[in-house]
Amino acid sequence: LQKLIHLLQATDDPLIQEQALITLSNSAAFSVNQDIIRNLDGLSVIGGMLSNCVPKVKEKALNALNNLSMNIKNQEEIQVFITQVCGTVESAPLNSDVQLAGLRLLTNLSVTNDYHQKMINSIPCFLHLLSEGTERTQIQVLKVLVNLSANPAMTRHLLRAQV
């Protein structure tokens, strides 16, 4: 895992980055690896890939963070990327793999009320995706919205959102 994280930092080759992210994502299926990746500063390295201009690299980084977000301690570190992930969801092509990967990560990060405030500005986007997206996109957006709606503090923001 340490070598993969180092490789991810050391290369500019999108194919190598994509493969390293896939491997890290698969490794994150095991909780012990989730802790190891966090302790090796892997979350910030993977999060740094969110600004990559290659859509496949960005998608794989979102997938890796999604798998890593199953751990509460990892969520505490990953939450710093919520605004960036929301921006990615908003700017990605409609129904794209990048958009869906971002929505899946936001779904996991919105299971608890801890980070809902960071998603408020994206509520209009979520509602737009609900009306314009394909069924896959709509289902993923609904998961985020259901999580947000379970928080009484979000009611006003959800009802006042301009669509």
Side-chain angles (χ1 to χ4, degrees):
L1 292 173
Q2 186 175 25
K3 289 181 191 277
L4 277 171
I5 293 167
H6 178 70
L7 177 64
L8 202 52
Q9 288 176 298
T11 186
D12 289 331
D13 184 334
L15 292 175
I16 293 173
Q17 291 171 334
E18 187 179 342
Q19 290 304 310
L21 286 165
I22 289 170
T23 305
L24 286 167
S25 182
N26 291 340
S27 298
F30 303 97
S31 56
V32 67
N33 289 342
Q34 293 172 3
D35 293 332
I36 292 170
I37 292 169
R38 182 185 63 252
N39 293 333
L40 292 171
D41 198 33
L43 298 176
S44 64
V45 173
I46 295 168
M49 295 284 111
L50 295 177
S51 58
N52 195 299
C53 59
V54 179
K56 280 289 183 193
V57 172
K58 191 177 291 197
E59 175 199 349
K60 302 309 182 207
L62 287 164
N63 288 339
L65 289 174
N66 183 46
N67 289 349
L68 288 160
S69 72
M70 301 305 220
N71 176 312
I72 296 296
K73 287 183 180 177
N74 285 355
Q75 281 190 9
E76 292 171 7
E77 289 191 31
I78 293 170
Q79 60 93 17
V80 302
F81 300 110
I82 289 176
T83 304
Q84 187 175 1
V85 172
C86 287
T88 297
V89 167
E90 292 179 35
S91 64
L94 184 63
N95 306 313
S96 65
D97 290 336
V98 170
Q99 191 173 63
L100 286 166
L103 287 168
R104 281 191 297 271
L105 175 55
L106 292 175
T107 299
N108 282 349
L109 293 173
S110 64
V111 169
T112 66
N113 297 353
D114 297 341
Y115 311 115
H116 288 181
Q117 290 296 116
K118 294 183 178 227
M119 299 180 201
I120 288 173
N121 292 334
S122 293
I123 290 172
C125 171
F126 298 152
L127 295 172
H128 171 75
L129 293 176
L130 189 58
S131 66
E132 298 295 322
T134 61
E135 186 175 326
R136 284 177 52 199
T137 301
Q138 290 172 337
I139 289 169
Q140 211 54 59
V141 169
L142 281 171
K143 290 178 181 182
V144 175
L145 289 171
V146 165
N147 288 346
L148 294 177
S149 70
N151 179 355
M154 295 300 291
T155 304
R156 180 173 45 102
H157 301 289
L158 289 165
L159 295 175
R160 287 188 179 170
Q162 297 295 314
V163 183

